[in-house]
Amino acid sequence: MIRLQLMQREDLKKIIEWNIDKSADELLQWAGPMYNYPLTLVQLENYFLDEIKKEYSNIFLYKIELVNTGEIIGTVELRETDKNNKIGRVCRFLIGQENIRGRGVGAKVLKEILRIGFEDLKFEKITLGVFDFNKSAIKCYENVGFTKVKLIENARKSSNGYWGLYEMAISKDGWKTENS
């Protein structure tokens, strides 16, 4: 159904397409404070070239493709956050094609990104952050084995006040249990 491939510079235009007519809050929800509103190709290319494509980068940006058509429907980033303790983090996870959402695609992507993180990159734990109001995302993360570690109140300022953020995590052992 889906496959993850490393993002290429020419694929970045798709992210811009998904963010046309989106608000600053919607950009903040999936990208955190990484980008300034409105999102531009220059911002994406600068991050891609300066961080992802730099020598010895520990950031892996994947495009999510439909196997049968090759269409790019989203992105997900996996990065190493703690080399000594072998901790990775899922960031900027977006199913950009809105008509695909709610069909279990997110769970499939997460299962594959966890496999990459634990088997290929040898992480012992993988974390992520999700805003507390994003109930569907939280449910998806819990369904693949992530658990809430803590709630950070007033983590990010949005147009209508502050948002709380759940830190979530899954250990390699927990992942193995989920997949046995």
Side-chain angles (χ1 to χ4, degrees):
M1 175 183 213
I2 57 102
R3 73 175 155 241
L4 301 184
Q5 301 283 333
L6 288 174
M7 193 81 140
Q8 301 301 314
R9 186 176 183 179
E10 59 269 15
D11 300 324
L12 298 174
K13 292 176 186 165
K14 198 72 175 165
I15 298 172
I16 296 298
E17 288 176 27
W18 296 324
N19 282 278
I20 292 174
D21 299 328
K22 300 294 183 197
S23 69
D25 284 350
E26 288 169 306
L27 178 62
L28 177 64
Q29 186 174 343
W30 78 263
M34 175 64 65
Y35 303 115
N36 295 313
Y37 181 81
L39 185 62
T40 64
L41 190 57
V42 170
Q43 289 181 76
L44 288 171
E45 287 179 334
N46 286 343
Y47 177 65
F48 186 76
L49 296 172
D50 296 345
E51 298 298 325
I52 295 166
K53 287 298 184 183
K54 74 178 181 184
E55 192 172 10
Y56 306 114
S57 177
N58 64 354
I59 304 170
F60 305 92
L61 177 61
Y62 296 93
K63 58 186 169 186
I64 305 162
E65 293 181 331
L66 292 176
V67 171
N68 56 345
T69 65
E71 179 185 10
I72 302 171
I73 61 163
T75 65
V76 62
E77 184 178 306
L78 182 62
R79 61 175 49 223
E80 180 181 68
T81 58
D82 185 332
K83 188 174 188 71
N84 291 333
N85 293 301
K86 300 179 182 178
I87 299 173
R89 186 165 182 89
V90 174
C91 309
R92 285 167 277 291
F93 178 26
L94 175 67
I95 303 295
Q97 291 294 114
E98 292 182 23
N99 63 330
I100 302 283
R101 294 179 189 164
R103 297 182 179 184
V105 172
K108 286 179 174 52
V109 170
L110 285 167
K111 286 177 182 180
E112 179 61 10
I113 207 74
L114 291 173
R115 187 202 61 74
I116 291 167
F118 291 128
E119 289 183 359
D120 299 347
L121 300 175
K122 308 298 185 205
F123 292 143
E124 290 297 319
K125 180 168 81 170
I126 296 177
T127 66
L128 61 80
V130 59
F131 291 112
D132 59 356
F133 61 84
N134 195 343
K135 304 293 185 209
S136 61
I138 293 167
K139 182 179 177 185
C140 179
Y141 299 144
E142 289 175 334
N143 285 344
V144 299
F146 280 90
T147 57
K148 294 174 185 168
V149 176
K150 67 179 173 180
L151 173 64
I152 303 167
E153 294 185 28
N154 300 324
R156 293 278 181 249
K157 185 171 181 12
S158 71
S159 66
N160 59 356
Y162 285 88
W163 293 345
L165 179 88
Y166 280 112
E167 281 292 325
M168 299 183 78
I170 184 171
S171 67
K172 184 182 246 178
D173 289 341
W175 172 75
K176 285 179 180 176
T177 300
E178 284 285 325
N179 290 285
S180 59

